[in-house]
Amino acid sequence: MRLRQFVLVTGLLLLSSLSLAQRQVIIVGGGPDPLESQVSIELNTRWIIDNIKVHEPTQISHVLYTDGNQPGPDVHSTKDIRDGIDMLEPLARVYNMEEENSYWYYSSRVNTDVGPADAESVSNLLREIVTDLNEHDELLFIFQGHGGHNYEDTRKNYLRLWNDSRITVFELEKLLSEAPPESTIRFLLPQCFSGAFSKLIYRNAQPDQGLATGNRCGFLATNEHRGSEGCTASVDTSEYRDYSSIFFGAIFGKTID
């Protein structure tokens, strides 16, 4: 019961604010390229968007996903080859690439109004929205993708964005610092090595420099040196065990399937 109450309170903190405040959501998703842009990320992103519209219809949402609305393939899923012999299957077995041989690629279907999720586009949108926040305004930043690791300095851990671009912890903190101190920024980061982004609450992402101005709250899947669980090319949503599925399932009161 206590755990359930905690989850409900967490959900209220995440999706509630003062009645006069403007609430905005930025959802960034996909992989750095089609091979690492699994269908589970797309299905999760679509599910989160649909439920936010239901729970918070007054919120302003901005979606950046893979290559935006470009027609080329940017997501991969798995195909079932049991109904026939794929002509490349024998060769795939020789090179131990049976899983890759089962992939098929298509253009993402996340939203009708979606921009590209490369570092430049994400940075520009964040800067535009953050600098335009007013007193008591709120921003929720949701990332649905992969993370990278820097062994020497985890402030350089990064979001792996489209076209192999990236935004580091330090760079993201600098962007958030442009927000007015009275505003609130929340972020949900389920990717590998996401724990490094806990430093976003500090000036220059350095704990010894003290807390940054403004209200910041983060939800992270793992620590700064570990991978996280969940990305899959399977469309069977009942098998999804990623952080976002469980986190938002608790808030929305239902699972993705």
Side-chain angles (χ1 to χ4, degrees), residues 7 47 243-256:
V7 171
W47 175 63
Y243 186 82
S244 290
S245 293
I246 296 172
F247 185 91
F248 281 106
I251 290 176
F252 298 145
K254 57 184 177 182
T255 62
I256 186 172

PDB file of all heavy atoms in Angstrom, residues 7 47 243-256:
ATOM      1  N   VAL A   7       3.908   5.834  -5.501  1.00  0.00           N
ATOM      2  CA  VAL A   7       3.844   5.953  -6.950  1.00  0.00           C
ATOM      3  C   VAL A   7       2.797   6.977  -7.360  1.00  0.00           C
ATOM      4  O   VAL A   7       3.000   7.782  -8.261  1.00  0.00           O
ATOM      5  CB  VAL A   7       3.552   4.578  -7.582  1.00  0.00           C
ATOM      6  CG1 VAL A   7       3.263   4.728  -9.070  1.00  0.00           C
ATOM      7  CG2 VAL A   7       4.727   3.642  -7.379  1.00  0.00           C
ATOM      8  N   TRP A  47       2.555   5.517 -26.979  1.00  0.00           N
ATOM      9  CA  TRP A  47       1.698   5.252 -25.811  1.00  0.00           C
ATOM     10  C   TRP A  47       1.760   6.399 -24.806  1.00  0.00           C
ATOM     11  O   TRP A  47       0.733   6.844 -24.285  1.00  0.00           O
ATOM     12  CB  TRP A  47       2.148   3.948 -25.178  1.00  0.00           C
ATOM     13  CG  TRP A  47       1.475   3.561 -23.911  1.00  0.00           C
ATOM     14  CD1 TRP A  47       0.147   3.267 -23.731  1.00  0.00           C
ATOM     15  CD2 TRP A  47       2.086   3.406 -22.635  1.00  0.00           C
ATOM     16  NE1 TRP A  47      -0.098   2.933 -22.420  1.00  0.00           N
ATOM     17  CE2 TRP A  47       1.075   3.010 -21.727  1.00  0.00           C
ATOM     18  CE3 TRP A  47       3.395   3.542 -22.179  1.00  0.00           C
ATOM     19  CZ2 TRP A  47       1.339   2.774 -20.383  1.00  0.00           C
ATOM     20  CZ3 TRP A  47       3.654   3.293 -20.843  1.00  0.00           C
ATOM     21  CH2 TRP A  47       2.644   2.920 -19.955  1.00  0.00           C
ATOM     22  N   TYR A 243      12.213   0.786 -18.129  1.00  0.00           N
ATOM     23  CA  TYR A 243      11.892   1.741 -17.062  1.00  0.00           C
ATOM     24  C   TYR A 243      10.661   2.576 -17.400  1.00  0.00           C
ATOM     25  O   TYR A 243       9.774   2.764 -16.561  1.00  0.00           O
ATOM     26  CB  TYR A 243      13.103   2.645 -16.844  1.00  0.00           C
ATOM     27  CG  TYR A 243      12.998   3.607 -15.684  1.00  0.00           C
ATOM     28  CD1 TYR A 243      13.283   3.195 -14.387  1.00  0.00           C
ATOM     29  CD2 TYR A 243      12.646   4.937 -15.891  1.00  0.00           C
ATOM     30  CE1 TYR A 243      13.207   4.085 -13.321  1.00  0.00           C
ATOM     31  CE2 TYR A 243      12.566   5.830 -14.832  1.00  0.00           C
ATOM     32  CZ  TYR A 243      12.853   5.398 -13.552  1.00  0.00           C
ATOM     33  OH  TYR A 243      12.780   6.279 -12.510  1.00  0.00           O
ATOM     34  N   SER A 244      10.581   3.079 -18.619  1.00  0.00           N
ATOM     35  CA  SER A 244       9.455   3.938 -19.005  1.00  0.00           C
ATOM     36  C   SER A 244       8.128   3.200 -18.942  1.00  0.00           C
ATOM     37  O   SER A 244       7.123   3.746 -18.474  1.00  0.00           O
ATOM     38  CB  SER A 244       9.663   4.501 -20.414  1.00  0.00           C
ATOM     39  OG  SER A 244      10.702   5.435 -20.436  1.00  0.00           O
ATOM     40  N   SER A 245       8.100   1.958 -19.431  1.00  0.00           N
ATOM     41  CA  SER A 245       6.851   1.195 -19.423  1.00  0.00           C
ATOM     42  C   SER A 245       6.313   1.035 -18.011  1.00  0.00           C
ATOM     43  O   SER A 245       5.115   1.211 -17.753  1.00  0.00           O
ATOM     44  CB  SER A 245       7.067  -0.186 -20.052  1.00  0.00           C
ATOM     45  OG  SER A 245       7.349  -0.087 -21.419  1.00  0.00           O
ATOM     46  N   ILE A 246       7.200   0.685 -17.087  1.00  0.00           N
ATOM     47  CA  ILE A 246       6.768   0.466 -15.705  1.00  0.00           C
ATOM     48  C   ILE A 246       6.447   1.779 -15.012  1.00  0.00           C
ATOM     49  O   ILE A 246       5.448   1.902 -14.295  1.00  0.00           O
ATOM     50  CB  ILE A 246       7.860  -0.312 -14.947  1.00  0.00           C
ATOM     51  CG1 ILE A 246       8.029  -1.704 -15.580  1.00  0.00           C
ATOM     52  CG2 ILE A 246       7.527  -0.439 -13.470  1.00  0.00           C
ATOM     53  CD1 ILE A 246       9.194  -2.491 -15.057  1.00  0.00           C
ATOM     54  N   PHE A 247       7.259   2.786 -15.232  1.00  0.00           N
ATOM     55  CA  PHE A 247       7.060   4.092 -14.600  1.00  0.00           C
ATOM     56  C   PHE A 247       5.721   4.713 -15.013  1.00  0.00           C
ATOM     57  O   PHE A 247       4.891   5.073 -14.174  1.00  0.00           O
ATOM     58  CB  PHE A 247       8.210   5.026 -14.976  1.00  0.00           C
ATOM     59  CG  PHE A 247       8.177   6.364 -14.293  1.00  0.00           C
ATOM     60  CD1 PHE A 247       8.825   6.557 -13.083  1.00  0.00           C
ATOM     61  CD2 PHE A 247       7.506   7.437 -14.857  1.00  0.00           C
ATOM     62  CE1 PHE A 247       8.798   7.789 -12.443  1.00  0.00           C
ATOM     63  CE2 PHE A 247       7.465   8.670 -14.227  1.00  0.00           C
ATOM     64  CZ  PHE A 247       8.117   8.843 -13.022  1.00  0.00           C
ATOM     65  N   PHE A 248       5.509   4.829 -16.320  1.00  0.00           N
ATOM     66  CA  PHE A 248       4.267   5.445 -16.785  1.00  0.00           C
ATOM     67  C   PHE A 248       3.072   4.519 -16.595  1.00  0.00           C
ATOM     68  O   PHE A 248       1.939   4.992 -16.455  1.00  0.00           O
ATOM     69  CB  PHE A 248       4.400   5.872 -18.243  1.00  0.00           C
ATOM     70  CG  PHE A 248       5.162   7.155 -18.422  1.00  0.00           C
ATOM     71  CD1 PHE A 248       6.446   7.148 -18.916  1.00  0.00           C
ATOM     72  CD2 PHE A 248       4.592   8.361 -18.060  1.00  0.00           C
ATOM     73  CE1 PHE A 248       7.161   8.325 -19.066  1.00  0.00           C
ATOM     74  CE2 PHE A 248       5.291   9.548 -18.202  1.00  0.00           C
ATOM     75  CZ  PHE A 248       6.578   9.536 -18.707  1.00  0.00           C
ATOM     76  N   GLY A 249       3.303   3.204 -16.580  1.00  0.00           N
ATOM     77  CA  GLY A 249       2.204   2.294 -16.279  1.00  0.00           C
ATOM     78  C   GLY A 249       1.641   2.555 -14.900  1.00  0.00           C
ATOM     79  O   GLY A 249       0.421   2.509 -14.682  1.00  0.00           O
ATOM     80  N   ALA A 250       2.530   2.855 -13.932  1.00  0.00           N
ATOM     81  CA  ALA A 250       2.071   3.167 -12.581  1.00  0.00           C
ATOM     82  C   ALA A 250       1.291   4.486 -12.556  1.00  0.00           C
ATOM     83  O   ALA A 250       0.264   4.607 -11.878  1.00  0.00           O
ATOM     84  CB  ALA A 250       3.272   3.248 -11.641  1.00  0.00           C
ATOM     85  N   ILE A 251       1.760   5.457 -13.294  1.00  0.00           N
ATOM     86  CA  ILE A 251       1.102   6.774 -13.292  1.00  0.00           C
ATOM     87  C   ILE A 251      -0.231   6.737 -14.033  1.00  0.00           C
ATOM     88  O   ILE A 251      -1.243   7.268 -13.565  1.00  0.00           O
ATOM     89  CB  ILE A 251       2.029   7.824 -13.921  1.00  0.00           C
ATOM     90  CG1 ILE A 251       3.216   8.089 -12.994  1.00  0.00           C
ATOM     91  CG2 ILE A 251       1.290   9.125 -14.196  1.00  0.00           C
ATOM     92  CD1 ILE A 251       4.241   9.034 -13.542  1.00  0.00           C
ATOM     93  N   PHE A 252      -0.244   6.061 -15.196  1.00  0.00           N
ATOM     94  CA  PHE A 252      -1.464   6.033 -16.004  1.00  0.00           C
ATOM     95  C   PHE A 252      -2.478   5.013 -15.486  1.00  0.00           C
ATOM     96  O   PHE A 252      -3.644   5.043 -15.888  1.00  0.00           O
ATOM     97  CB  PHE A 252      -1.132   5.731 -17.464  1.00  0.00           C
ATOM     98  CG  PHE A 252      -0.259   6.760 -18.134  1.00  0.00           C
ATOM     99  CD1 PHE A 252       0.681   6.374 -19.082  1.00  0.00           C
ATOM    100  CD2 PHE A 252      -0.356   8.102 -17.811  1.00  0.00           C
ATOM    101  CE1 PHE A 252       1.488   7.316 -19.693  1.00  0.00           C
ATOM    102  CE2 PHE A 252       0.452   9.049 -18.418  1.00  0.00           C
ATOM    103  CZ  PHE A 252       1.376   8.671 -19.359  1.00  0.00           C
ATOM    104  N   GLY A 253      -2.025   4.105 -14.641  1.00  0.00           N
ATOM    105  CA  GLY A 253      -2.936   3.104 -14.094  1.00  0.00           C
ATOM    106  C   GLY A 253      -3.216   1.951 -15.033  1.00  0.00           C
ATOM    107  O   GLY A 253      -4.180   1.203 -14.850  1.00  0.00           O
ATOM    108  N   LYS A 254      -2.368   1.771 -16.045  1.00  0.00           N
ATOM    109  CA  LYS A 254      -2.534   0.646 -16.967  1.00  0.00           C
ATOM    110  C   LYS A 254      -1.212   0.417 -17.682  1.00  0.00           C
ATOM    111  O   LYS A 254      -0.394   1.331 -17.836  1.00  0.00           O
ATOM    112  CB  LYS A 254      -3.628   0.939 -17.993  1.00  0.00           C
ATOM    113  CG  LYS A 254      -3.389   2.196 -18.810  1.00  0.00           C
ATOM    114  CD  LYS A 254      -4.558   2.472 -19.734  1.00  0.00           C
ATOM    115  CE  LYS A 254      -4.355   3.781 -20.515  1.00  0.00           C
ATOM    116  NZ  LYS A 254      -5.507   4.073 -21.376  1.00  0.00           N
ATOM    117  N   THR A 255      -0.995  -0.827 -18.117  1.00  0.00           N
ATOM    118  CA  THR A 255       0.229  -1.128 -18.838  1.00  0.00           C
ATOM    119  C   THR A 255       0.082  -0.808 -20.310  1.00  0.00           C
ATOM    120  O   THR A 255      -1.023  -0.573 -20.802  1.00  0.00           O
ATOM    121  CB  THR A 255       0.594  -2.612 -18.663  1.00  0.00           C
ATOM    122  OG1 THR A 255      -0.478  -3.408 -19.221  1.00  0.00           O
ATOM    123  CG2 THR A 255       0.768  -2.959 -17.195  1.00  0.00           C
ATOM    124  N   ILE A 256       1.197  -0.858 -21.026  1.00  0.00           N
ATOM    125  CA  ILE A 256       1.165  -0.505 -22.445  1.00  0.00           C
ATOM    126  C   ILE A 256       0.325  -1.486 -23.258  1.00  0.00           C
ATOM    127  O   ILE A 256      -0.244  -1.119 -24.293  1.00  0.00           O
ATOM    128  CB  ILE A 256       2.604  -0.420 -23.002  1.00  0.00           C
ATOM    129  CG1 ILE A 256       2.590   0.096 -24.445  1.00  0.00           C
ATOM    130  CG2 ILE A 256       3.306  -1.757 -22.909  1.00  0.00           C
ATOM    131  CD1 ILE A 256       3.966   0.378 -24.995  1.00  0.00           C
TER     132      ILE A 256
END
